[in-house]
Amino acid sequence: MKYLIATLATLLAPSLAWAETPQALLDQALLLGPAQLGAPEGQPVIFGQAGDAAYVANLGGPDCRTDADGCDTIRFSSFAPAADQAALDAWNAAGNGSQVALDGEWVSLSAEMPVTGNAQAVFANWNALLTQFVQTFEPVSYTHLRAHETGRNL
């Protein structure tokens, strides 16, 4: 009987996803610096700042809304002014769980991370990547990030 229960638990474990509320994720973002929760087009998004870099955290999941607890992934992004291709190639070759790409006159950093029951660890991992990004590329301010996201010129 114990073997059967252990086998079932092992088989079911990968299908069990941990999910958080947008507010719980915002609480973790606030530990990095100023942040606010928005919901453009009904999808929860955190706009935040950690040190000198601004970022966007798009919350996702099967039932991820501002009034639900189905957020099980976070797609982070941040931006910096354009850099040379060698710096982009070196970053992407490092295998740090993120990608940078040249997007017009911007370098975009993106990383998708599952919420695995420890939102604090997810934001700590993002903060480490963002710190490395800041050291490699010149970050943009929160105002510039919002302008980029909304398509407005400053």
Side-chain angles (χ1 to χ4, degrees):
M1 184 68 167
K2 288 181 186 180
Y3 176 75
L4 178 61
I5 293 172
T7 302
L8 285 174
T10 302
L11 292 174
L12 292 175
S15 66
L16 298 175
W18 187 271
E20 289 281 357
T21 65
Q23 183 61 51
L25 296 171
L26 176 63
D27 292 344
Q28 292 304 313
L30 286 167
L31 295 176
L32 301 182
Q36 65 182 28
L37 180 64
E41 300 177 17
Q43 194 66 28
V45 176
I46 295 172
F47 298 96
Q49 186 160 345
D52 292 332
Y55 66 91
V56 176
N58 292 285
L59 311 182
D63 190 29
C64 185
R65 301 183 318 270
T66 54
D67 62 345
D69 65 355
C71 301
D72 62 7
T73 59
I74 304 174
R75 192 175 65 250
F76 291 100
S77 47
S78 188
F79 300 90
D84 65 13
Q85 190 62 45
L88 300 173
D89 293 343
W91 180 281
N92 290 329
N96 57 18
S98 67
Q99 291 289 315
V100 293
L102 194 57
D103 181 14
E105 53 189 67
W106 298 98
V107 172
S108 64
L109 166 67
S110 61
E112 187 165 315
M113 299 181 187
V115 176
T116 58
N118 188 346
Q120 183 177 7
V122 172
F123 277 89
N125 290 341
W126 169 247
N127 192 40
L129 276 175
L130 198 54
T131 299
Q132 185 179 358
F133 184 68
V134 167
Q135 292 170 352
T136 307
F137 305 97
E138 182 182 331
V140 297
S141 70
Y142 179 80
T143 303
H144 280 91
L145 178 64
R146 292 289 288 158
H148 179 77
E149 287 294 307
T150 59
R152 295 188 178 139
N153 291 325
L154 293 176

